[in-house]
Coordinates of all heavy atoms in Angstrom, one line a residue:
M255 N -17.1 -72.6 28.8 CA -17.5 -73.5 27.7 C -19.0 -73.8 27.7 O -19.6 -74.1 28.8 CB -16.7 -74.8 27.8 CG -15.3 -74.6 27.6 SD -14.5 -76.1 27.1 CE -14.4 -76.9 28.7
S256 N -19.6 -73.7 26.5 CA -21.0 -73.8 26.5 C -21.5 -74.9 25.5 O -22.6 -75.0 25.2 CB -21.8 -72.5 26.2 OG -21.3 -72.1 24.9
D257 N -20.5 -75.7 25.0 CA -20.9 -76.7 24.0 C -21.3 -78.0 24.7 O -20.7 -79.1 24.7 CB -19.8 -77.0 23.1 CG -18.5 -77.3 23.7 OD1 -18.4 -77.0 25.0 OD2 -17.7 -78.0 23.1
V258 N -22.5 -77.9 25.4 CA -23.0 -79.1 26.0 C -23.8 -80.0 24.9 O -24.6 -79.5 24.2 CB -24.1 -78.7 27.0 CG1 -24.7 -79.9 27.7 CG2 -23.5 -77.8 28.1
P259 N -23.4 -81.3 24.9 CA -24.0 -82.2 24.0 C -25.5 -82.2 24.2 O -26.0 -82.2 25.4 CB -23.4 -83.6 24.4 CG -22.1 -83.3 25.0 CD -22.3 -82.0 25.8
L260 N -26.2 -82.3 23.1 CA -27.6 -82.2 23.2 C -28.2 -83.4 24.0 O -29.2 -83.3 24.6 CB -28.3 -82.3 21.7 CG -28.5 -81.0 21.0 CD1 -29.0 -81.2 19.6 CD2 -29.3 -80.0 21.7
S261 N -27.5 -84.5 23.9 CA -28.0 -85.7 24.5 C -27.9 -85.6 26.1 O -28.6 -86.3 26.8 CB -27.2 -87.0 24.2 OG -25.8 -86.7 24.4
E262 N -27.1 -84.6 26.5 CA -27.0 -84.4 27.9 C -27.9 -83.3 28.4 O -28.0 -83.0 29.6 CB -25.6 -84.1 28.3 CG -24.7 -85.3 28.3 CD -23.3 -85.1 28.8 OE1 -23.0 -84.0 29.5 OE2 -22.4 -85.9 28.4
A263 N -28.5 -82.5 27.5 CA -29.5 -81.5 27.9 C -30.6 -82.1 28.6 O -31.3 -83.0 28.1 CB -29.9 -80.7 26.7
P264 N -31.0 -81.6 29.7 CA -32.2 -82.2 30.4 C -33.5 -81.8 29.6 O -33.6 -80.7 29.1 CB -32.2 -81.5 31.8 CG -31.4 -80.2 31.6 CD -30.4 -80.5 30.4
P265 N -34.4 -82.7 29.7 CA -35.7 -82.4 29.0 C -36.4 -81.4 29.8 O -36.1 -81.2 31.1 CB -36.5 -83.8 29.1 CG -35.8 -84.5 30.3 CD -34.4 -84.1 30.3
P266 N -37.2 -80.5 29.2 CA -37.8 -79.5 29.9 C -38.8 -80.0 30.9 O -39.1 -79.3 31.9 CB -38.6 -78.7 28.8 CG -38.7 -79.7 27.7 CD -37.5 -80.6 27.8
W267 N -39.3 -81.2 30.8 CA -40.3 -81.7 31.8 C -40.0 -83.2 32.0 O -39.6 -83.9 31.1 CB -41.7 -81.6 31.3 CG -42.2 -80.3 30.9 CD1 -42.2 -79.7 29.6 CD2 -42.6 -79.2 31.7 NE1 -42.6 -78.5 29.6 CE2 -42.9 -78.1 30.8 CE3 -42.8 -79.1 33.1 CZ2 -43.4 -76.9 31.4 CZ3 -43.3 -77.9 33.6 CH2 -43.5 -76.8 32.8
T268 N -40.2 -83.6 33.2 CA -40.1 -85.1 33.5 C -41.5 -85.4 34.1 O -42.2 -84.7 34.8 CB -39.0 -85.4 34.4 OG1 -39.1 -84.6 35.5 CG2 -37.7 -85.3 33.7
C269 N -41.8 -86.7 34.0 CA -43.1 -87.1 34.5 C -43.0 -87.1 36.1 O -42.2 -87.6 36.7 CB -43.3 -88.6 34.0 SG -44.8 -89.3 34.6
A270 N -44.1 -86.6 36.6 CA -44.2 -86.4 38.1 C -44.5 -87.8 38.7 O -44.3 -88.0 39.9 CB -45.3 -85.5 38.4
R271 N -45.0 -88.8 37.9 CA -45.3 -90.1 38.4 C -44.2 -91.0 38.4 O -43.9 -91.8 39.3 CB -46.6 -90.6 37.6 CG -47.2 -91.7 38.3 CD -48.4 -92.3 37.5 NE -49.5 -91.3 37.4 CZ -50.5 -91.4 36.6 NH1 -50.6 -92.3 35.8 NH2 -51.5 -90.4 36.6
C272 N -43.5 -91.2 37.2 CA -42.5 -92.2 37.1 C -41.1 -91.6 36.7 O -40.1 -92.4 36.6 CB -43.0 -93.3 36.0 SG -43.0 -92.6 34.3
G273 N -41.0 -90.3 36.5 CA -39.7 -89.8 36.3 C -39.2 -89.8 34.8 O -38.2 -89.3 34.5
E274 N -40.0 -90.4 33.9 CA -39.6 -90.5 32.5 C -39.7 -89.2 31.9 O -40.5 -88.3 32.2 CB -40.7 -91.4 31.8 CG -40.4 -91.8 30.4 CD -39.4 -93.0 30.4 OE1 -39.0 -93.4 31.4 OE2 -39.2 -93.4 29.3
P275 N -38.7 -88.8 31.0 CA -38.7 -87.5 30.3 C -40.0 -87.5 29.4 O -40.4 -88.4 28.8 CB -37.5 -87.6 29.4 CG -36.6 -88.6 30.0 CD -37.5 -89.6 30.6
L276 N -40.7 -86.3 29.5 CA -41.9 -86.1 28.7 C -41.6 -85.9 27.3 O -40.6 -85.4 26.9 CB -42.8 -85.0 29.3 CG -43.2 -85.3 30.8 CD1 -44.1 -84.1 31.1 CD2 -43.9 -86.6 31.0
T277 N -42.6 -86.3 26.4 CA -42.5 -86.2 25.0 C -43.6 -85.2 24.5 O -44.7 -85.3 25.0 CB -42.8 -87.5 24.3 OG1 -41.9 -88.4 24.8 CG2 -42.5 -87.4 22.7
L278 N -43.1 -84.3 23.6 CA -44.1 -83.3 23.1 C -44.7 -83.9 21.8 O -44.0 -84.2 20.9 CB -43.4 -81.9 22.8 CG -44.3 -80.9 22.2 CD1 -45.4 -80.5 23.3 CD2 -43.6 -79.7 21.9
G279 N -46.0 -84.0 21.8 CA -46.7 -84.5 20.6 C -48.2 -84.4 20.7 O -48.7 -84.0 21.8
E280 N -48.8 -84.7 19.6 CA -50.3 -84.5 19.6 C -50.9 -85.8 20.3 O -50.7 -86.9 20.0 CB -50.8 -84.4 18.2 CG -50.6 -83.0 17.6 CD -51.6 -82.7 16.6 OE1 -52.3 -83.6 16.0 OE2 -51.6 -81.5 16.1
I281 N -51.8 -85.5 21.3 CA -52.5 -86.5 21.9 C -54.0 -86.2 21.9 O -54.3 -85.0 21.7 CB -52.1 -86.7 23.4 CG1 -52.1 -85.4 24.1 CG2 -50.7 -87.3 23.4 CD1 -52.3 -85.6 25.5
E282 N -54.9 -87.1 22.0 CA -56.3 -86.8 22.0 C -56.7 -86.5 23.5 O -56.5 -87.2 24.4 CB -57.0 -88.0 21.4 CG -56.7 -88.2 20.0 CD -58.0 -88.5 19.2 OE1 -58.9 -89.2 19.7 OE2 -58.0 -88.0 18.1
V283 N -57.3 -85.4 23.6 CA -57.8 -84.9 24.9 C -59.3 -85.1 24.9 O -60.0 -84.6 24.0 CB -57.5 -83.5 25.2 CG1 -58.1 -83.1 26.5 CG2 -56.0 -83.4 25.4
A284 N -59.9 -85.9 25.8 CA -61.3 -86.1 25.8 C -61.9 -84.9 26.7 O -61.5 -84.6 27.7 CB -61.6 -87.4 26.5
Y285 N -62.9 -84.2 26.1 CA -63.6 -83.2 26.8 C -65.0 -83.1 26.4 O -65.3 -83.1 25.2 CB -62.8 -81.9 26.4 CG -63.3 -80.6 27.2 CD1 -63.1 -80.6 28.6 CD2 -64.0 -79.6 26.5 CE1 -63.6 -79.5 29.3 CE2 -64.5 -78.5 27.2 CZ -64.2 -78.5 28.6 OH -64.7 -77.4 29.3
L286 N -65.9 -83.1 27.3 CA -67.3 -83.0 27.1 C -67.8 -84.1 26.1 O -68.6 -83.8 25.3 CB -67.7 -81.7 26.6 CG -67.5 -80.5 27.6 CD1 -67.9 -79.2 27.0 CD2 -68.3 -80.8 28.9
G287 N -67.1 -85.3 26.2 CA -67.6 -86.4 25.4 C -67.0 -86.4 24.0 O -67.4 -87.3 23.2
S288 N -66.2 -85.5 23.7 CA -65.5 -85.5 22.4 C -64.0 -85.6 22.5 O -63.5 -85.2 23.6 CB -65.8 -84.2 21.6 OG -67.2 -84.2 21.4
A289 N -63.3 -86.0 21.6 CA -61.8 -86.1 21.6 C -61.2 -85.0 20.7 O -61.7 -84.9 19.5 CB -61.3 -87.5 21.3
F290 N -60.3 -84.3 21.1 CA -59.6 -83.3 20.4 C -58.1 -83.6 20.4 O -57.5 -83.8 21.4 CB -59.8 -81.9 20.9 CG -61.3 -81.5 21.0 CD1 -62.0 -81.8 22.1 CD2 -61.9 -80.9 19.9 CE1 -63.4 -81.5 22.2 CE2 -63.2 -80.5 20.0 CZ -64.0 -80.9 21.1
P291 N -57.4 -83.5 19.2 CA -56.0 -83.6 19.1 C -55.3 -82.3 19.7 O -55.6 -81.2 19.2 CB -55.7 -83.8 17.7 CG -56.8 -83.2 17.0 CD -58.0 -83.3 17.8
V292 N -54.5 -82.4 20.7 CA -53.9 -81.2 21.2 C -52.4 -81.5 21.4 O -52.0 -82.7 21.8 CB -54.5 -80.8 22.6 CG1 -53.8 -79.7 23.2 CG2 -56.0 -80.6 22.5
K293 N -51.6 -80.6 21.1 CA -50.1 -80.8 21.3 C -49.7 -80.6 22.7 O -49.8 -79.4 23.2 CB -49.3 -79.9 20.3 CG -47.9 -80.4 20.0 CD -47.3 -79.5 18.9 CE -46.0 -80.1 18.4 NZ -45.3 -79.3 17.5
L294 N -49.3 -81.7 23.4 CA -49.0 -81.5 24.8 C -47.8 -82.4 25.2 O -47.5 -83.3 24.5 CB -50.3 -82.0 25.6 CG -51.5 -81.1 25.7 CD1 -52.5 -81.8 26.6 CD2 -51.1 -79.8 26.4
W295 N -47.2 -82.1 26.3 CA -46.2 -82.9 26.8 C -46.9 -84.1 27.5 O -47.8 -83.9 28.3 CB -45.3 -82.1 27.9 CG -44.5 -81.0 27.2 CD1 -44.7 -79.8 27.0 CD2 -43.1 -81.3 26.6 NE1 -43.7 -79.2 26.4 CE2 -42.7 -80.0 26.1 CE3 -42.4 -82.4 26.5 CZ2 -41.5 -79.8 25.5 CZ3 -41.1 -82.2 25.8 CH2 -40.8 -81.0 25.3
H296 N -46.4 -85.3 27.2 CA -46.9 -86.4 27.8 C -45.8 -87.5 28.1 O -44.8 -87.5 27.5 CB -48.1 -87.0 27.0 CG -47.6 -87.5 25.7 ND1 -47.4 -86.6 24.6 CD2 -47.3 -88.7 25.2 CE1 -47.0 -87.3 23.5 NE2 -46.9 -88.6 23.9
C297 N -46.2 -88.4 29.0 CA -45.3 -89.5 29.3 C -45.7 -90.7 28.6 O -46.8 -91.2 28.6 CB -45.4 -89.8 30.8 SG -44.4 -91.1 31.4
K298 N -44.6 -91.3 27.9 CA -44.9 -92.4 27.0 C -45.1 -93.7 27.9 O -45.7 -94.6 27.5 CB -43.7 -92.7 26.0 CG -43.8 -91.9 24.8 CD -42.6 -92.3 23.9 CE -42.5 -91.5 22.6 NZ -41.3 -91.7 21.9
R299 N -44.5 -93.7 29.0 CA -44.5 -94.9 29.9 C -45.9 -95.0 30.6 O -46.5 -96.1 30.5 CB -43.4 -94.8 30.9 CG -43.2 -96.2 31.6 CD -42.3 -96.1 32.8 NE -40.9 -96.0 32.3 CZ -39.9 -95.8 33.2 NH1 -40.1 -95.7 34.5 NH2 -38.7 -95.7 32.7
C300 N -46.3 -94.1 31.3 CA -47.5 -94.2 32.1 C -48.8 -93.4 31.5 O -49.8 -93.3 32.1 CB -47.2 -93.9 33.5 SG -47.0 -92.1 33.9
R301 N -48.4 -92.6 30.4 CA -49.5 -91.9 29.7 C -50.0 -90.7 30.5 O -51.1 -90.2 30.3 CB -50.7 -92.8 29.3 CG -50.2 -93.8 28.2 CD -51.4 -94.7 27.9 NE -50.9 -95.5 26.8 CZ -51.4 -95.3 25.6 NH1 -52.2 -94.3 25.3 NH2 -51.0 -96.1 24.6
L302 N -49.2 -90.3 31.5 CA -49.6 -89.1 32.2 C -49.5 -87.9 31.3 O -48.5 -87.8 30.5 CB -48.6 -88.8 33.4 CG -48.9 -87.6 34.2 CD1 -49.6 -87.9 35.5 CD2 -47.6 -86.9 34.6
V303 N -50.4 -86.9 31.3 CA -50.3 -85.8 30.4 C -50.2 -84.5 31.2 O -50.9 -84.3 32.2 CB -51.6 -85.7 29.6 CG1 -51.6 -84.5 28.6 CG2 -51.8 -86.9 28.7
L304 N -49.1 -83.7 30.8 CA -49.0 -82.4 31.5 C -49.9 -81.4 30.9 O -49.8 -81.1 29.7 CB -47.5 -82.0 31.3 CG -47.2 -80.7 32.0 CD1 -46.9 -80.9 33.5 CD2 -46.0 -80.0 31.3
I305 N -50.8 -80.9 31.7 CA -51.7 -79.9 31.2 C -51.3 -78.6 31.9 O -51.6 -78.5 33.1 CB -53.1 -80.3 31.4 CG1 -53.5 -81.6 30.7 CG2 -54.0 -79.1 31.0 CD1 -54.9 -81.9 30.7
P306 N -50.7 -77.7 31.2 CA -50.3 -76.4 31.9 C -51.6 -75.7 32.3 O -52.7 -75.8 31.7 CB -49.7 -75.6 30.7 CG -49.3 -76.6 29.7 CD -50.3 -77.8 29.8
E307 N -51.4 -74.9 33.4 CA -52.5 -74.2 34.0 C -53.2 -73.3 33.0 O -54.4 -73.2 32.9 CB -52.0 -73.4 35.2 CG -53.1 -73.1 36.2 CD -52.6 -72.6 37.5 OE1 -51.5 -73.1 37.9 OE2 -53.2 -71.7 38.0
E308 N -52.4 -72.6 32.2 CA -53.0 -71.7 31.2 C -53.8 -72.5 30.1 O -54.8 -71.9 29.7 CB -51.9 -70.9 30.4 CG -50.9 -71.8 29.6 CD -49.4 -71.3 29.7 OE1 -49.0 -71.2 30.8 OE2 -48.9 -71.1 28.6
L309 N -53.4 -73.7 29.8 CA -54.2 -74.5 28.9 C -55.5 -74.9 29.5 O -56.6 -74.9 28.9 CB -53.4 -75.6 28.4 CG -54.1 -76.6 27.5 CD1 -54.3 -75.9 26.1 CD2 -53.4 -78.0 27.3
A310 N -55.4 -75.4 30.8 CA -56.6 -75.8 31.4 C -57.6 -74.7 31.6 O -58.8 -74.9 31.6 CB -56.2 -76.4 32.8
Q311 N -57.1 -73.5 31.8 CA -58.0 -72.4 32.0 C -58.3 -71.6 30.7 O -59.4 -71.1 30.6 CB -57.3 -71.3 32.9 CG -57.3 -71.9 34.3 CD -56.5 -71.0 35.3 OE1 -56.0 -69.9 34.8 NE2 -56.5 -71.3 36.5
G312 N -57.5 -71.7 29.7 CA -57.8 -70.9 28.4 C -58.2 -71.8 27.3 O -59.3 -71.6 26.8
R313 N -57.4 -72.8 26.9 CA -57.7 -73.6 25.8 C -59.0 -74.4 25.9 O -59.8 -74.5 24.9 CB -56.5 -74.6 25.5 CG -56.7 -75.3 24.2 CD -56.4 -74.5 23.0 NE -55.1 -74.0 22.9 CZ -54.1 -74.7 22.3 NH1 -54.3 -75.9 21.8 NH2 -52.9 -74.3 22.3
M314 N -59.2 -74.8 27.1 CA -60.5 -75.6 27.3 C -61.7 -74.7 27.1 O -62.8 -75.1 26.6 CB -60.4 -76.2 28.6 CG -59.6 -77.5 28.8 SD -59.9 -78.7 27.4 CE -58.6 -79.8 27.7
L315 N -61.5 -73.5 27.4 CA -62.7 -72.5 27.2 C -62.8 -72.3 25.7 O -64.0 -72.3 25.2 CB -62.4 -71.2 27.9 CG -62.5 -71.1 29.4 CD1 -62.1 -69.7 29.9 CD2 -63.9 -71.5 29.8
E316 N -61.8 -72.3 25.0 CA -61.9 -72.2 23.5 C -62.6 -73.4 22.9 O -63.4 -73.3 22.0 CB -60.5 -72.1 22.8 CG -59.8 -70.7 23.1 CD -58.5 -70.7 22.5 OE1 -58.2 -71.4 21.6 OE2 -57.7 -69.8 23.0
V317 N -62.2 -74.6 23.4 CA -62.8 -75.9 23.0 C -64.3 -75.8 23.3 O -65.2 -76.2 22.5 CB -62.2 -77.0 23.7 CG1 -63.0 -78.3 23.4 CG2 -60.8 -77.2 23.2
E318 N -64.6 -75.3 24.4 CA -66.0 -75.2 24.8 C -66.8 -74.3 23.8 O -67.9 -74.6 23.4 CB -66.1 -74.6 26.3 CG -67.4 -75.1 26.9 CD -67.4 -74.8 28.5 OE1 -66.3 -74.4 28.9 OE2 -68.3 -75.0 29.1
K319 N -66.2 -73.2 23.5 CA -66.8 -72.3 22.5 C -67.0 -73.0 21.1 O -68.0 -72.9 20.5 CB -65.9 -71.1 22.3 CG -66.1 -70.1 23.4 CD -65.2 -68.8 23.1 CE -65.2 -67.9 24.3 NZ -64.1 -66.8 24.1
M320 N -66.0 -73.7 20.7 CA -66.1 -74.5 19.5 C -67.3 -75.4 19.5 O -68.0 -75.5 18.5 CB -64.8 -75.4 19.2 CG -63.6 -74.6 18.7 SD -62.1 -75.5 18.7 CE -62.7 -77.1 18.2
L321 N -67.5 -76.1 20.6 CA -68.6 -76.9 20.7 C -69.9 -76.2 20.6 O -70.8 -76.6 20.0 CB -68.5 -77.7 22.0 CG -67.4 -78.8 22.1 CD1 -67.4 -79.4 23.4 CD2 -67.7 -79.9 21.0
E322 N -69.9 -75.1 21.2 CA -71.2 -74.3 21.3 C -71.6 -73.8 19.9 O -72.7 -73.6 19.5 CB -71.1 -73.2 22.2 CG -71.2 -73.6 23.7 CD -70.9 -72.5 24.6 OE1 -70.5 -71.4 24.2 OE2 -70.9 -72.7 25.9
D323 N -70.5 -73.5 19.0 CA -70.8 -73.0 17.7 C -71.4 -74.0 16.8 O -72.0 -73.7 15.8 CB -69.5 -72.6 17.1 CG -69.0 -71.2 17.7 OD1 -69.9 -70.6 18.4 OD2 -67.9 -70.8 17.5
K324 N -71.2 -75.4 17.1 CA -71.6 -76.4 16.2 C -73.2 -76.7 16.4 O -73.6 -76.5 17.5 CB -70.9 -77.7 16.4 CG -69.5 -77.6 15.8 CD -68.6 -78.8 15.9 CE -67.3 -78.6 15.3 NZ -66.4 -79.7 15.6
Ligands
ZN272 ZN1 -44.8 -91.4 33.6

């Protein structure tokens, strides 16, 4: 049987700090003195933000390029 109720499906991520299920949404990430809206998993309770390694290494480089273009 595979009809598991959605409410019982575990969230893909939980907060490493307080254990709260993380929420996917746009948050503002401060970088080099500017804030950018980025869709990330974050904790509503303690505001911990999950930044995947690929994002930290890739997206931030893109942001850096955006800044240099201006
Ligand atoms: Zn938390």
